[in-house]
Amino acid sequence: MKLLRSILFFVFIPLGCISNGQTSVAHLTCDMAVNPLAVINKQPRLGWQLLSEKLHVSQKAYQILVASSKEKLQNNEADVWDSGKVLSNQSQLINYIGRSLKNETKYFWKVKIWDEANQESSFSEPAFFRMAPSTSELNPTWIGAITKADSYLPEGRHYHTATFKRAKKDSIINASDALSRRSIMLRKPFSISKKIKEAVVYVSGLGHYELSLNGTKIGNSEFAPLWTDYDKSVNYNVYELSENQFQQGENVLGVLLGNGMYNMLAERYSKFFVSFGPPTLFLKMKVSYDDGSEAVINSDESWKYSKSPITFNSLFGGEDYDATLEQKGWDTSNFNDGQWKKIVLQEAPKGPLKAQQAPPITIQKTYSVKEVKEPMDGTYVFNMAQNLSGFPTIKVKGAKGQKVRLWVGEGLKEDGTISQGRSGKPYYFQYTLKGEGVEEWQPKFSYYGYQYIQVDSINYKETKDSKLPTLLEISSNFIYNDAGEAGTFECSNDIFNKAHELINNAIKSNFQAVLTDCPHREKLGWLEEAHLNGPGLIYNYNLQTYIPSIMENIKDAQRENGMIPTIAPEYVVFGGDFTDSPEWGVTGIILPWMYYEYYGDDALIRNYYQVMKRYIDYLTSKSENYILSYGLGDWYDYGEHAAGYSKNSPIALSATSHYYYAAHLFAKAARYLNKTEDIAKYETLASNIKTAYNKEFFNKETKQYGTASQFSNAVSVFMDIVEPQYKEDVMANLLADIKNRGYRLTTGDVGNRYLFQALARNNENEVMYKMNNHYDTPGYGFQIQFGLTTLTEQWDPRKGNSWNHFMMGQIEEWFYRSLAGIVPDETNPGFKHFFIQPELVGDMTFVKASYQSVYGKIVSVWEKKNDTLILNIEIPANTTATVKLPVSKKSNILVNGKNFKKVKVNEAEGKSSLKLGSGVYKIACSL
């Protein structure tokens, strides 16, 4: 006990010094975004965080001011809305209820609060939001080099095939040079003669675009706009331009267009050959002057175009750039565009324009060469030390017309050269030199998953052969979504630390416009990963504005009969179970509830209620006596068999369990939204499915489900399908199977989460620890020992295809929820109240984790020192937490150096619990 008190003495002295700090207001959001430029909700929802060094801080009241200008807001002149003093502890998702907001208008706002002691804070720093225009206000005109009718592009969405339109004389237009597939440059000169107050650009270039003003790129996006099903929705982006980006007199808007998912090519490697039309542009720039006048520049017939130096671009095949075709200054004034051609007006995409709400893709990290080898003369292979999604940047010099071809791959052949066999081939980037000193280049419209770069027929660093170009520098750009990271995790177990790193590098690699399965071979949004990895994704990344985009893609993909396909957007129809599998489709019902649990926002439940209902009705139409008997099942389950369809567990059990879970959650949604006509119907449906499931799959004699596999029993436990009197026996059988296999799993992509969480939520974390704390297959340790930097598609990388998949990364939920013990409270969603309940397992001596909730940063750090457990936690202001300590009632518990008397002991759990208000705490207890 002396050791315990001495530790606390040194740790807690500083806390008294900061306990008198004032509460401030920060991190203002509008519809979950910081300073959004395209708000579509006519009554946007405002939120903020409270910052304080005091303990037990909560909000008693707030006041919001909204003004039409920053100057008025600074003077507290709320000409748009003054909420007055509102008695409420709500600091998130507060509906704006002021004057009607005008489209294409920017508003400024700030907030102050009164705390639990009725002390008034200062006003926050100002924030802003801009309302999106209506479609009629955008009045989109689409322009490009060739009409869809004249482009003879393929039609249909069939796997690896498409129906061609035939040109005259029954010949197909040459794909290598056809305007239907070629990247083009578009330019529009315009004049400025007045002082600018503000300028806003609305733009969508399909498949992808790069926008410039006077030769300078606007924004930092790569691969904008984010992918959608262009027959259903088309994203556009919004940029605010400052006065110093313009010049008096002539200015030039420039746009470079590439194919993206909008216009897929069949050359080199391609996953499918589908096109929505040739590259196309919509743009509207609205310039407001100080004198109150306005000017609008639209995409119209006054624009001109020319072929760009990008001679080939395909998301699946690579990109070629011919620098000899550059036109210097093409997007600046004083350029002679006499040789350029007039654009043509194009048929608009079928889908309506929608303001992109999710964050953009950006270059997040850059890696330099770690190791270079020359497996054969003039062929160099560069190890960039990190498998990733992205593209290289090169610096090169040489003669005009010399070429540098870059092959990229995530593995090597035995001879040390690039291998693309598992990831889709041929794929490469190619640069043709213009012969003007040191030239720098990186691709714009294609990316791949790779760690190694191979360059043939070059000099490296120094010119030994003048007939070859000299590569001076090469680096690797890691691209992924700019949502930002929400969590941190570290512990005393090296396997878990490295697994966390592997998984997150794979998540980032696939965190693109959609959650892709892999960054090379498919790049498709397979939906099951979103819900099976959902909690792990949310703990690690800020998905407040990203998850709604997944749901919008699901809505767009849903068929008329209610079926939700396995991928969204559904660019290609695979057919059979690869198009329709319940474990994938239920994402449309599970994800809104996860979003509500972690962010406290029920908007997805409300907005997609009909999507959910139509899918449940579809599953019912496919069922027989409440049993579903199709789908992929526990995909890639582990065993001696080849990976693929579920082999260890019945497919009908997998499909029906998810049918039940979806019906249960939909019935819950009906009750939550008080949809009286649906409540009884779907609660009865869920009950009938559960009864049929237990009758069909449960063996009362053996107390096992299905084939007695780990998945069969675990999913039944997790989804609460097991009748209470049998649960203990089913769990015992599950544990026995794990132990008999030497603490090894047999589940797959679908089953992992249910196995992991069935153990974790039923006090079997020691088993979970043993099952994952080893270097054998199946397990994360084997991949670490194999020397990988991203999680792979199969537990044994030698057997699988992709080395950059995150679908087996469901252990992230266990890291945060169990080891760190940061657990949401279902009855107080969004971490308004939550639990800190760390699990002490194995020989682990510490865990450090944090999570940025919508209310602020939650921290859970524990360490075992001798016979003492020290727990350091942070609880955000305006929230509370129940701390469940893994110690008995006999333990002496000190909180911030003092005996804590309000301790409750749960005899069943064998844990002591205490409820705390916000603040920083050091808790020490004897073990």
Side-chain angles (χ1 to χ4, degrees):
M1 199 59 216
K2 271 186 179 180
L3 171 65
L4 176 59
R5 290 193 181 276
S6 64
I7 291 171
L8 291 168
F9 176 80
F10 288 108
V11 168
F12 294 115
I13 282 180
L15 291 175
C17 301
I18 62 173
S19 60
N20 295 320
Q22 297 299 307
T23 301
S24 60
V25 183
H27 194 68
L28 277 60
T29 59
C30 175
D31 283 346
M32 293 283 197
V34 176
N35 296 334
L37 296 179
V39 174
I40 57 177
N41 185 359
K42 297 303 180 184
Q43 286 188 299
R45 300 160 306 156
L46 307 178
W48 55 86
Q49 294 178 2
L50 276 58
L51 304 179
S52 179
E53 294 172 337
K54 298 186 296 180
L55 298 179
H56 308 293
V57 171
S58 61
Q59 177 184 293
K60 185 176 183 180
Y62 66 82
Q63 182 181 12
I64 298 170
L65 302 183
V66 183
S68 59
S69 71
K70 187 180 287 188
E71 293 72 26
K72 288 182 177 180
L73 189 68
Q74 287 172 340
N75 294 325
N76 295 334
E77 185 182 342
D79 60 331
V80 180
W81 183 40
D82 182 346
S83 71
K85 184 176 181 180
V86 179
L87 295 176
S88 171
N89 70 351
Q90 187 179 356
S91 58
Q92 293 293 327
L93 303 169
I94 295 166
N95 285 323
Y96 168 88
I97 53 173
R99 290 169 49 188
S100 294
L101 299 170
K102 298 177 182 178
N103 294 345
E104 294 189 85
T105 303
K106 188 174 184 177
Y107 296 95
F108 300 84
W109 69 288
K110 61 184 179 180
V111 62
K112 67 178 177 180
I113 65 99
W114 286 261
D115 68 14
E116 75 290 342
N118 209 31
Q119 289 187 325
E120 183 178 349
S121 76
S122 300
F123 272 109
S124 66
E125 291 296 313
F128 64 82
F129 59 89
R130 184 181 290 278
M131 299 301 292
S134 66
T135 303
S136 61
E137 287 166 329
L138 289 173
N139 190 24
T141 298
W142 294 85
I143 63 174
I146 188 171
T147 65
K148 186 175 182 180
D150 290 336
S151 65
Y152 305 104
L153 287 164
E155 295 180 328
R157 301 196 189 191
H158 304 293
Y159 185 40
H160 281 312
T161 64
T163 302
F164 277 99
K165 286 185 173 182
R166 294 284 174 176
K168 291 179 181 179
K169 298 182 181 178
D170 203 38
S171 63
I172 301 300
I173 291 180
N174 187 321
S176 66
D177 193 49
L179 286 173
S180 59
R181 298 175 177 86
R182 181 68 179 267
S183 169
I184 59 172
M185 306 180 292
L186 303 98
R187 72 187 308 269
K188 167 64 178 177
F190 63 96
S191 293
I192 295 291
S193 59
K194 302 178 183 178
K195 185 171 176 56
I196 294 175
K197 180 181 179 182
E198 71 167 19
V200 183
V201 178
Y202 307 94
V203 59
S204 182
L206 304 177
H208 295 305
Y209 71 89
E210 182 173 285
L211 172 67
S212 63
L213 175 61
N214 297 325
T216 301
K217 180 179 175 178
I218 302 301
N220 64 346
S221 295
E222 306 290 332
F223 303 98
L226 299 186
W227 308 334
T228 54
D229 181 334
Y230 305 102
D231 284 342
K232 303 291 181 63
S233 300
V234 177
N235 278 329
Y236 70 86
N237 304 112
V238 184
Y239 302 97
E240 289 185 335
L241 305 179
S242 63
E243 184 182 16
N244 61 16
Q245 290 174 278
F246 295 86
Q247 57 197 26
Q248 287 298 300
E250 185 175 87
N251 293 258
V252 176
L253 281 169
V255 179
L256 185 66
L257 289 182
N259 290 310
M261 287 291 189
Y262 187 73
N263 190 30
M264 194 54 60
L265 281 69
E267 296 175 70
R268 302 185 192 172
Y269 173 70
S270 62
K271 181 67 178 177
F272 51 85
F273 187 25
V274 172
S275 178
F276 295 86
T280 187
L281 170 69
F282 153 74
L283 183 143
K284 174 183 176 180
M285 183 170 73
K286 187 175 182 179
V287 182
S288 301
Y289 298 107
D290 273 1
D291 65 5
S293 62
E294 292 181 344
V296 177
I297 292 91
N298 287 310
S299 46
D300 57 24
E301 292 175 288
S302 65
W303 288 61
K304 288 186 173 183
Y305 83 90
S306 179
K307 294 178 183 177
S308 92
I310 300 173
T311 58
F312 176 89
N313 71 103
S314 165
L315 275 175
F316 287 102
E319 184 167 323
D320 298 347
Y321 185 92
D322 187 345
T324 67
L325 301 178
E326 288 180 351
Q327 300 181 56
K328 195 174 262 187
W330 69 272
D331 54 353
T332 63
S333 59
N334 300 318
F335 175 80
N336 183 355
D337 62 8
Q339 299 300 311
W340 285 44
K341 298 180 180 179
K342 289 186 176 181
I343 59 86
V344 298
L345 299 182
Q346 293 176 316
E347 178 184 346
K350 292 180 182 178
L353 277 168
K354 296 180 181 179
Q356 179 178 305
Q357 302 297 306
I361 308 304
T362 62
I363 295 174
Q364 299 277 348
K365 297 178 183 178
T366 300
Y367 294 85
S368 56
V369 177
K370 181 180 181 182
E371 180 184 43
V372 58
K373 292 185 178 180
E374 191 177 3
M376 57 189 72
D377 288 345
T379 292
Y380 292 87
V381 175
F382 302 93
N383 182 357
M384 311 308 289
Q386 178 61 57
N387 200 12
L388 50 75
S389 60
F391 44 78
T393 297
I394 62 170
K395 287 185 179 179
V396 62
K397 66 179 181 179
K400 181 178 179 179
Q402 289 181 333
K403 300 180 187 301
V404 177
R405 179 174 290 185
L406 301 97
W407 295 88
V408 287
E410 54 185 16
L412 301 175
K413 300 176 185 175
E414 289 185 6
D415 65 1
T417 60
I418 289 290
S419 171
Q420 292 183 340
R422 294 186 312 270
S423 53
K425 65 178 183 180
Y427 184 102
Y428 57 85
F429 303 107
Q430 182 168 286
Y431 179 76
T432 302
L433 281 73
K434 58 192 170 188
E436 298 178 6
V438 176
E439 304 175 35
E440 184 172 347
W441 175 75
Q442 67 186 37
K444 295 185 183 295
F445 299 129
S446 190
Y447 77 92
Y448 199 71
Y450 70 95
Q451 177 172 332
Y452 301 93
I453 306 171
Q454 176 180 317
V455 190
D456 302 323
S457 303
I458 60 163
N459 301 298
Y460 181 52
K461 293 289 188 181
E462 56 182 338
T463 303
K464 295 179 180 178
D465 185 346
S466 61
K467 295 179 182 178
L468 301 177
T470 301
L471 182 66
L472 301 172
E473 290 182 25
I474 188 166
S475 58
S476 195
N477 301 290
F478 197 171
I479 63 159
Y480 50 91
N481 198 279
D482 199 34
E485 297 187 36
T488 62
F489 174 83
E490 182 187 354
C491 69
S492 60
N493 184 289
D494 194 48
I495 290 177
F496 297 161
N497 287 334
K498 289 180 179 175
H500 174 67
E501 187 177 344
L502 284 180
I503 293 165
N504 275 277
N505 281 330
I507 292 173
K508 289 170 181 173
S509 296
N510 291 285
F511 193 6
Q512 305 297 325
V514 298
L515 291 172
T516 61
D517 57 333
C518 57
H520 32 57
R521 192 182 72 237
E522 293 196 32
K523 296 186 174 84
L524 294 173
W526 292 89
L527 291 176
E528 93 290 3
E529 293 177 309
H531 77 86
L532 294 169
N533 285 278
L537 291 166
I538 292 171
Y539 278 122
N540 281 297
Y541 303 97
N542 299 318
L543 301 184
Q544 294 95 318
T545 60
Y546 187 85
I547 288 177
S549 73
I550 299 176
M551 289 304 301
E552 191 67 8
N553 283 332
I554 288 173
K555 184 190 80 171
D556 286 350
Q558 188 171 36
R559 304 280 181 83
E560 288 185 7
N561 63 4
M563 188 266 281
I564 295 175
T566 52
I567 59 173
E570 192 183 18
Y571 293 126
V572 57
V573 179
F574 292 111
D577 297 320
F578 289 98
T579 285
D580 179 14
S581 189
E583 303 86 350
W584 277 247
V586 295
T587 307
I589 294 176
I590 296 174
L591 205 55
W593 279 106
M594 279 187 179
Y595 190 81
Y596 178 53
E597 183 177 12
Y598 283 85
Y599 297 129
D601 185 0
D602 64 9
L604 300 187
I605 298 172
R606 295 180 181 278
N607 295 344
Y608 298 95
Y609 182 82
Q610 290 302 320
V611 171
M612 299 161 74
K613 183 176 182 178
R614 290 175 61 213
Y615 186 60
I616 284 296
D617 290 346
Y618 170 77
L619 292 180
T620 299
S621 75
K622 296 280 287 184
S623 68
E624 185 173 345
N625 296 322
Y626 305 106
I627 300 295
L628 283 179
S629 301
Y630 73 95
L632 300 173
D634 186 15
W635 181 250
Y636 268 50
D637 56 6
Y638 186 78
E640 295 298 321
H641 54 269
Y645 275 90
S646 178
K647 302 291 195 311
N648 298 329
S649 310
I651 283 176
L653 179 146
S654 178
T656 307
S657 63
H658 285 81
Y659 175 33
Y660 163 74
Y661 198 48
H664 162 70
L665 289 179
F666 180 71
K668 185 178 174 182
R671 184 166 289 280
Y672 176 78
L673 298 177
N674 197 29
K675 301 283 187 178
T676 53
E677 69 280 8
D678 289 338
I679 295 171
K681 176 181 177 180
Y682 290 96
E683 286 182 346
T684 300
L685 175 64
S687 177
N688 288 340
I689 299 168
K690 180 186 278 193
T691 299
Y693 180 94
N694 281 315
K695 182 179 179 181
E696 180 74 16
F697 301 113
F698 185 61
N699 185 324
K700 289 185 179 180
E701 293 183 5
T702 64
K703 308 298 189 296
Q704 305 255 40
Y705 279 87
T707 53
S709 66
Q710 292 174 13
F711 171 71
S712 297
N713 287 325
V715 73
S716 305
V717 169
F718 177 88
M719 292 182 177
D720 199 26
I721 301 175
V722 183
E723 293 178 23
Q725 66 269 30
Y726 299 124
K727 182 176 179 180
E728 187 175 338
D729 289 329
V730 173
M731 278 299 300
N733 284 321
L734 173 62
L735 295 172
D737 185 84
I738 295 170
K739 291 176 183 177
N740 289 340
R741 297 177 186 276
Y743 290 92
R744 300 296 183 264
L745 58 80
T746 62
T747 48
D749 173 26
V750 176
N752 287 343
R753 183 187 183 222
Y754 303 121
L755 174 62
F756 292 174
Q757 290 303 307
L759 295 173
R761 300 186 190 196
N762 288 280
N763 301 313
E764 297 295 344
N765 285 287
E766 281 293 339
V767 174
M768 182 68 184
Y769 173 79
K770 291 177 183 177
M771 197 169 66
N772 290 283
N773 185 40
H774 59 81
Y775 287 97
D776 305 323
T777 55
Y780 301 99
F782 185 81
Q783 304 208 4
I784 294 164
Q785 205 169 48
F786 200 72
L788 300 171
T789 60
T790 47
L791 192 65
T792 69
E793 189 174 13
Q794 286 199 43
W795 289 117
D796 187 340
R798 297 166 298 186
K799 295 180 179 179
N801 286 318
S802 168
W803 281 5
N804 204 340
H805 254 66
F806 73 92
M807 72 180 187
M808 297 292 195
Q810 299 94 332
I811 198 171
E812 286 293 310
E813 182 177 4
W814 187 66
F815 289 161
Y816 283 93
R817 185 183 175 108
S818 296
L819 295 187
I822 302 174
V823 182
D825 179 359
E826 187 178 342
T827 62
N828 291 277
F831 290 89
K832 180 67 172 169
H833 172 266
F834 57 94
F835 300 96
I836 299 286
Q837 49 188 61
E839 298 289 342
L840 278 57
V841 294
D843 58 358
M844 294 183 66
T845 58
F846 75 86
V847 168
K848 301 176 181 178
S850 68
Y851 169 63
Q852 284 285 356
S853 76
V854 293
Y855 290 97
K857 189 176 183 180
I858 297 170
V859 173
S860 175
V861 176
W862 63 261
E863 182 181 12
K864 287 200 299 186
K865 279 192 174 181
N866 299 325
D867 295 326
T868 302
L869 172 67
I870 301 171
L871 178 63
N872 302 298
I873 63 174
E874 289 183 31
I875 303 169
N878 209 31
T879 71
T880 58
T882 297
V883 181
K884 295 185 178 181
L885 298 167
V887 295
S888 69
K889 62 183 178 181
K890 296 180 181 179
S891 178
N892 186 29
I893 299 173
L894 299 178
V895 179
N896 288 0
K898 298 179 182 178
N899 280 302
F900 197 80
K901 307 205 176 184
K902 298 179 182 177
V903 178
K904 293 183 179 179
V905 179
N906 186 315
E907 297 290 354
E909 293 182 353
K911 293 181 178 181
S912 298
S913 66
L914 41 152
K915 189 167 183 178
L916 299 173
S918 68
V920 177
Y921 296 92
K922 307 285 186 180
I923 302 173
C925 44
S926 53
L927 292 171

